[in-house]
Amino acid sequence: MEKLKYSELHPLKPNLINEQLLTKDEFINKFNNFQWVELLKLQLSAKELYGSPSLNIENEKGDGIAVSIVGNLHEYEFYVCYKRPTTYKKSKWFGLVTYDFYDKDFCSVIPGQTKEDAFEAFMLFYEKDYEKIEEKWG
């Protein structure tokens, strides 16, 4: 079973922590035990903040899923970020010239997601179902 690079971001810690390789089952355990709301509470009361509580996984190519919780304790949501290379159209000179632009670190950031959506994104990434990920979070 493939192991993916895993890391966490805590609002009061300046660096990513727990960078390691995890199997799907190990990740499920980490996801289920991650203190989303408790860390959000810490974030909301912090004087010095390093980021929203987040979990991240990445494959060997650097593609990955990152999920963050944002909002307040009574009304919060999750952001699902899908990082992968892509080519898209860009324009310059006031739209007179369009060209294909390759972005090796393109990241879709989709707000308004639930914890269940976040879990689904991670599981699809472990299963390498990039087509479904692209449909929902691309």
Side-chain angles (χ1 to χ4, degrees):
M1 176 169 289
E2 180 182 23
K3 290 186 175 190
L4 298 178
K5 183 178 176 185
Y6 164 85
S7 58
E8 304 175 1
L9 179 63
H10 291 241
L12 306 181
K13 297 181 181 176
N15 299 313
L16 288 175
I17 59 170
N18 293 331
E19 288 193 26
Q20 56 189 304
L21 297 175
L22 295 182
T23 65
K24 183 178 175 182
D25 291 337
E26 291 167 333
F27 176 81
I28 291 170
N29 187 43
K30 289 279 191 180
F31 184 90
N32 288 334
N33 291 313
F34 193 69
Q35 304 292 311
W36 293 104
V37 176
E38 292 83 356
L39 289 170
L40 179 60
K41 185 177 180 179
L42 279 175
Q43 174 185 332
L44 295 172
S45 63
K47 292 186 193 283
E48 189 170 356
L49 184 63
Y50 294 100
S52 297
S54 304
L55 293 181
N56 312 286
I57 57 172
E58 232 179 56
N59 63 20
E60 66 283 345
K61 296 186 297 186
D63 302 345
I65 297 286
V67 171
S68 300
I69 187 172
V70 297
N72 62 55
L73 294 178
H74 305 291
E75 190 174 332
Y76 53 83
E77 66 185 16
F78 290 81
Y79 278 48
V80 172
C81 305
Y82 176 36
K83 181 181 162 229
R84 76 278 185 205
T86 194
T87 301
Y88 54 91
K89 296 284 185 195
K90 280 187 97 171
S91 62
K92 60 183 179 179
W93 295 309
F94 304 103
L96 297 174
V97 175
T98 59
Y99 60 97
D100 288 338
F101 179 79
Y102 178 75
D103 185 345
K104 70 178 181 67
D105 294 318
F106 183 78
C107 189
S108 302
V109 180
I110 310 299
Q113 303 297 293
T114 65
K115 186 177 179 181
E116 292 76 21
D117 293 328
F119 183 75
E120 179 185 5
F122 284 126
M123 293 302 98
L124 289 172
F125 195 79
Y126 263 101
E127 295 163 7
K128 298 181 181 181
D129 194 341
Y130 306 121
E131 190 174 303
K132 280 189 182 174
I133 296 171
E134 193 67 43
E135 282 176 23
K136 190 163 183 179
W137 297 285

